[in-house]
Amino acid sequence: MRRVVRFVLVAALAVGTQMAVPPASASTTNTRENVQSGCQLGNGVKGVINVVFDNVHLARVNPNVPSDLELMPNLLNFIQNNGTMISHNYTPLISHTANDVVTTLTGLYPDQQGLAVSNSYGYYAPNGTEGGFPSAFQYWTDKIGSGAYNNVTAAGSNTPAPWVPFTRAGCNVGGVSTANIELENNGNLATVFGANSAQAAEGNTPHNDAAADYQGIAIHCAKNAAICSDANGAQADMLPQEPGGYNGYKALFGHDYVAPVIAPQGLTDLNGKPINGFPGFGGISAAQSLGYVAAMAEHGVQVTYAYISDAHDNHSFPFGAYGPGEAGYVAQLHSYDQAFGAFFARLAADGITPQNTLFNFSSDENDHFAGKLLAGCDGVTTPCVYDHSTGTGNIGEIATNMTSLMAKAGVNTSFDLHFDSAPSVYLLPQAGRTDAVTRNFEQVAATLVDPNNYVTNQSTPLMQRMADPVEMQLLHMITGDAARTPTFIYFGNADYFFTTTSTPPPPDFQQNAGFAWQHGDFQPDIVTSWLGLVGPGVRNLGLDNSTWASHADTRPTILALAGLQDDYTSQGRVLLEDLDPGAVTQTLRAHHETLIRLGQTYSQLDAPVGQFGLDSLKISTRALASTSAGDATYTNLENQLTGFGQQRDALAGQMIAALNGAEFNGQAINESQAKALINQGQALLAKVHAAAA
C-alpha cells in the first residue's frame, strides 16, 4: 500500500459510491508457443510464477466479515487443494511494501538489502544535517544522494539481483510491477537507454507517457535469448557488482518493448480490456497484473514476479479507504477473484499446471485496520456502511502532529520523521545515541498520550516500543549505508500515523478517513502474513497453521525446489516442513527432523519478529524510556542487549551455515553438533525471554 511516497499530511479523501462488479467474461486463451528453451530447472519444474499482493489478508479483520482470501475462493482453493497455505509468514521490520517484497525476493533482511525503513527513508548529509528522503522504490542498481546503493549490502556493495540464478540457468525472468526489478522512475531512462536517447528525452518532457511506456514492466533474459534481440529493443542488463560477474546479458525494459514480444496481437487484461501501457504501481489490478504474467508464460518467459495492489483502497476517483465489508471493498475482491479464475483456466489450457510449475503467492504485510469494527453486517448479504467524514467519522488513521506534542511536552529539538505508524526519528543535527539531547527526546516521546482515541474512546499511550541503533542491529536494521541510520524507531499504537507540521498546521490528533490500513509496526496483526505454495515438491497439506515462516524463507525454498542456488548466503531457510521429502536431497532426507528443529530454532533467533527480536525489543523499550540517575538503567540494559546480540550472531551464523550446507551443497550434518546448537539456541531464547519479562 502507498507505493507513492508520502511526506506531507494528506488531506482526507471521501470514498465514493459502490464499485460495480465486472461481469464474468471468457478470456481468449492463447496457445503457448513451442519455444526451444535452454531453461534448466530441477525437480520437474518447468516454470515459476511468483505473485505478491499488497495488504491482502488470510485472517478475518472483522469476525463477521469473510477475509480477503475467503472472498477470493478461486485463489484460496487453488492453493489449499493443490498445495499448502502457511498461515504464519512473518515480515521483517519495519513492515512495509518495499522492505517486505525485497526480503521475499532475495531471502535477505534489510541489513543486507538496505531497506530497513521504507517506503522511503531519510539520510544524513556529511555535516549531520538532513540529506533527503529518497524513495525505497528504485531500480536495482540505483544510488541515492549519499552515493550509496539503494539496495546495499552490509559491506556497502550492491545487493545481488534476484533474477540472476534463473537467467544463468537459461531462463527468462519477467517482472510486473514488482519492487525494484523494473524501472521505477524516469531518471532511469538515461542510464538504460543513453543520455541522448529518445526515451530519455521523452522522460524529460512534461506530461509525457514515459512512465506508461518504460516503467514497471521488464524481462531479464538468459544469455543469447532470442526474446532479447537487438531488433526487439533489448538493452544491456548491467549488474556491475554481481558476484561472479554478469556480462553479456540483456533485458527488455517497459511495456513498449515487452508487450509486442508477449502479445503480438495486442495485450489485454483478463477481462479482455486492452492494456496500452503500464497501469502504474499504485493501482495495478489483478486482471492487469495477471494478464501480463499469462502472456509472458505463453511466450517464453519461464519465471515471473508480479505485484497486485491492495484491495482495501479505492484506486479511482475519489480514492480513499474502504472498511471491512464495505460494498466497494467486497466488489474489488470479487473482481480479483474473477481474475484468478480466468488466470488459472487460461494457464491450464496452456499446459501450465501444478504438475510442472511452481507457484507461490503471498502478501507483503497484513495491515492493521484503523477504525471501528461494525456489527450487524457481513459484507456479503449486508454491506457494512462507514461514516467517512474526516474528524467525526468511524474509519481512518489518527494523523498525529508529533512536533506539536513534543513542544507541548517541553522539547523543541529540531527533528524530522519518516511519516508512519512506526516513524523513524532523525534528530537534527545528527546526535549520538547516548547524547543528552537524544536521551531527553526518547524519554519524553515515551510519555506521549492521546487523551481520547476515537476508536476506543479511551486515553491511549502513543508509544508501544522503541529501538535505537543497539536494538536495530539485533533486528537486522543497520544497513551498509551508515548515513541512513535514524536516531531511533518509535513503534507507535497502530491506530496512529505520525507526522511533523504541515501547512496549515494540523491539530495534534485528527481522524483522517483517507487512510485506514496501517503498517510498519511490530504488532501481530501487521507482521503476520501468509504464504501459499503449489507445485512440484510441495506437500498438499491444505491449511498449515503450525509452520513458522519468515519472508526471507520464500527465496531459499523456491530455489531448493527449482534446483538452483544464489551466489550469496540467504538469511532465510528452506521450509522443509511443507516439502515432499522425495523432492529434496538425500542429505535433507537423512537429517530431516533435526534440520527442521534446527531451522525452527534459527528462525526464532534470527528473524526480526521471532522470539528473540520481540523480546529484545521489549528490553530496548525499557532502556530508552528509563529515567534513572546517571542513566544507569539505560546503560545496563543496552550493554545486556549487546551481549545477547553477540551470542545470537555467533549461534545464528553456525546454524545458517549448517542449514545452507545441507540444503544447497549436499553437506552431511553432524547430528550431535546440530542438536547442541539447538539446545544452545533454546537456552539463549529462554534467557532473553526471562530478561524481557
Side-chain angles (χ1 to χ4, degrees):
M1 195 165 68
R2 301 179 193 169
R3 287 285 312 232
V4 178
V5 181
R6 195 171 93 168
F7 297 127
V8 297
L9 183 63
V10 180
L13 298 172
V15 174
T17 57
Q18 176 180 351
M19 291 178 61
V21 179
S25 60
S27 61
T28 302
T29 302
N30 299 318
T31 302
R32 189 175 193 177
E33 291 185 352
N34 182 22
V35 179
Q36 294 297 318
S37 170
C39 182
Q40 299 297 317
L41 302 175
N43 199 41
V45 176
K46 302 299 182 184
V48 183
I49 292 176
N50 309 269
V51 178
V52 60
F53 286 95
D54 199 328
N55 183 25
V56 164
H57 298 192
L58 172 63
R60 292 187 174 192
V61 176
N62 183 331
N64 302 318
V65 176
S67 74
D68 300 343
L69 285 175
E70 287 178 300
L71 291 169
M72 288 192 284
N74 283 315
L75 174 59
L76 184 60
N77 292 338
F78 178 84
I79 295 170
Q80 296 192 156
N81 292 343
N82 296 286
T84 296
M85 169 65 81
I86 299 172
S87 61
H88 291 76
N89 181 34
Y90 291 91
T91 73
L93 292 174
I94 64 173
S95 180
H96 261 290
T97 299
N99 184 12
D100 299 348
V101 172
V102 171
T103 295
T104 299
L105 287 174
T106 61
L108 297 173
Y109 295 124
D111 54 354
Q112 293 290 350
Q113 43 88 341
L115 305 182
V117 177
S118 63
N119 292 330
S120 60
Y121 53 86
Y123 70 91
Y124 286 104
N127 64 358
T129 60
E130 184 180 297
F133 274 83
S135 171
F137 295 111
Q138 313 241 4
Y139 184 61
W140 205 266
T141 55
D142 281 359
K143 293 183 177 181
I144 65 168
S146 67
Y149 285 100
N150 180 60
N151 289 116
V152 62
T153 68
S157 58
N158 194 194
T159 301
W163 58 87
V164 168
F166 297 106
T167 55
R168 284 177 174 164
C171 309
N172 300 319
V173 180
V176 181
S177 194
T178 302
N180 299 12
I181 67 173
E182 317 91 14
L183 303 187
E184 290 268 2
N185 56 70
N186 289 346
N188 296 134
L189 300 179
T191 302
V192 171
F193 295 102
N196 298 318
S197 64
Q199 295 89 341
E202 182 182 347
N204 291 325
T205 303
H207 311 297
N208 63 77
D209 294 324
D213 293 343
Y214 310 121
Q215 293 180 27
I217 304 295
I219 298 175
H220 298 275
C221 285
K223 190 171 284 189
N224 302 318
I227 198 172
C228 275
S229 67
D230 292 341
N232 287 341
Q235 304 295 321
D237 197 356
M238 295 181 289
L239 295 172
Q241 294 199 346
E242 189 68 29
Y246 197 71
N247 298 320
Y249 291 84
K250 293 187 175 182
L252 300 175
F253 293 101
H255 177 95
D256 271 14
Y257 294 103
V258 170
V261 170
I262 64 172
Q265 306 305 315
L267 183 66
T268 63
D269 69 12
L270 292 181
N271 295 322
K273 297 179 180 178
I275 304 177
N276 297 316
F278 175 55
F281 292 105
I284 191 168
S285 70
Q288 293 166 333
S289 188
L290 297 176
Y292 276 107
V293 171
M296 287 181 177
E298 292 161 349
H299 292 84
V301 181
Q302 297 88 2
V303 180
T304 52
Y305 287 93
Y307 165 92
I308 299 173
S309 63
D310 74 285
H312 296 169
D313 289 325
N314 185 358
H315 297 289
S316 59
F317 186 82
F319 310 104
Y322 292 130
E326 193 162 8
Y329 171 105
V330 174
Q332 197 153 240
L333 284 164
H334 180 63
S335 73
Y336 282 22
D337 183 55
Q338 288 181 311
F340 273 99
F343 179 65
F344 293 133
R346 177 168 164 177
L347 292 185
D350 292 328
I352 302 171
T353 70
Q355 284 66 52
N356 57 35
T357 301
L358 187 58
F359 296 83
N360 73 86
F361 305 93
S362 62
S363 179
D364 52 5
E365 70 262 332
N366 204 69
D367 291 16
H368 168 82
F369 174 62
K372 296 186 177 182
L373 297 178
L374 303 184
C377 61
D378 61 11
V380 179
T381 59
T382 306
C384 299
V385 180
Y386 294 84
D387 180 354
H388 290 270
S389 304
T390 289
T392 59
N394 57 8
I395 179 174
E397 67 191 15
I398 303 172
T400 304
N401 183 345
M402 197 163 182
T403 303
S404 174
L405 292 176
M406 292 298 291
K408 289 177 179 178
V411 176
N412 293 296
T413 303
S414 180
F415 70 98
D416 209 341
L417 297 178
H418 169 254
F419 292 4
D420 202 76
S421 64
S424 302
V425 180
Y426 302 83
L427 296 192
L428 299 171
Q430 188 176 21
R433 70 172 180 86
T434 61
D435 289 355
V437 66
T438 302
R439 293 293 299 120
N440 180 60
F441 196 101
E442 292 165 345
Q443 291 162 347
V444 173
T447 68
L448 300 179
V449 173
D450 176 3
N452 185 25
N453 179 310
Y454 86 93
V455 177
T456 63
N457 298 318
Q458 295 178 353
S459 177
T460 302
L462 301 184
M463 185 277 290
Q464 294 196 349
R465 298 287 188 274
M466 293 194 292
D468 72 1
V470 171
E471 174 63 13
M472 291 174 67
Q473 183 75 45
L474 274 59
L475 299 174
H476 297 288
M477 297 181 72
I478 299 295
T479 74
D481 178 16
R484 70 183 74 170
T485 301
T487 308
F488 70 103
I489 309 289
Y490 188 81
F491 293 97
N493 181 297
D495 285 336
Y496 294 80
F497 188 81
F498 296 88
T499 73
T500 56
T501 55
S502 63
T503 304
D508 292 347
F509 302 101
Q510 183 176 16
Q511 173 261 342
N512 177 11
F515 296 96
W517 297 93
Q518 303 289 87
H519 44 283
D521 260 310
F522 72 97
Q523 291 88 347
D525 63 339
I526 290 175
V527 301
T528 311
S529 187
W530 53 273
L531 171 64
L533 296 172
V534 173
V538 178
R539 297 174 68 188
N540 186 192
L541 298 177
L543 182 63
D544 175 4
N545 288 322
S546 62
T547 297
W548 199 103
S550 163
H551 279 19
D553 299 334
T554 302
R555 173 72 170 189
T557 301
I558 296 303
L559 290 187
L561 288 170
L564 300 179
Q565 185 173 358
D566 269 316
D567 50 25
Y568 56 87
T569 299
S570 171
Q571 291 170 290
R573 67 179 183 95
V574 176
L575 296 169
L576 294 175
E577 300 96 315
D578 299 285
L579 305 188
D580 182 348
V584 299
T585 65
Q586 175 60 35
T587 299
L588 298 184
R589 291 196 296 272
H591 304 282
H592 194 254
E593 293 305 316
T594 300
L595 285 168
I596 287 177
R597 288 182 57 218
L598 183 64
Q600 291 171 343
T601 304
Y602 167 76
S603 293
Q604 293 306 310
L605 278 172
D606 203 59
V609 296
Q611 182 183 326
F612 181 94
L614 293 179
D615 281 341
S616 64
L617 189 54
K618 288 183 180 178
I619 299 170
S620 171
T621 304
R622 193 185 311 148
L624 270 62
S626 66
T627 58
S628 61
D631 227 1
T633 299
Y634 169 80
T635 301
N636 291 337
L637 291 176
E638 294 275 277
N639 289 340
Q640 185 181 52
L641 286 172
T642 299
F644 287 153
Q646 291 169 347
Q647 296 175 62
R648 189 280 305 270
D649 291 348
L651 279 173
Q654 294 177 69
M655 289 177 173
I656 196 62
L659 290 166
N660 273 292
E663 292 162 353
F664 294 104
N665 300 322
Q667 297 172 355
I669 65 168
N670 183 308
E671 285 276 344
S672 62
Q673 290 178 354
K675 290 175 181 177
L677 286 174
I678 293 169
N679 291 336
Q680 292 173 56
Q682 293 292 342
L684 179 57
L685 288 170
K687 185 178 180 180
V688 177
H689 189 66

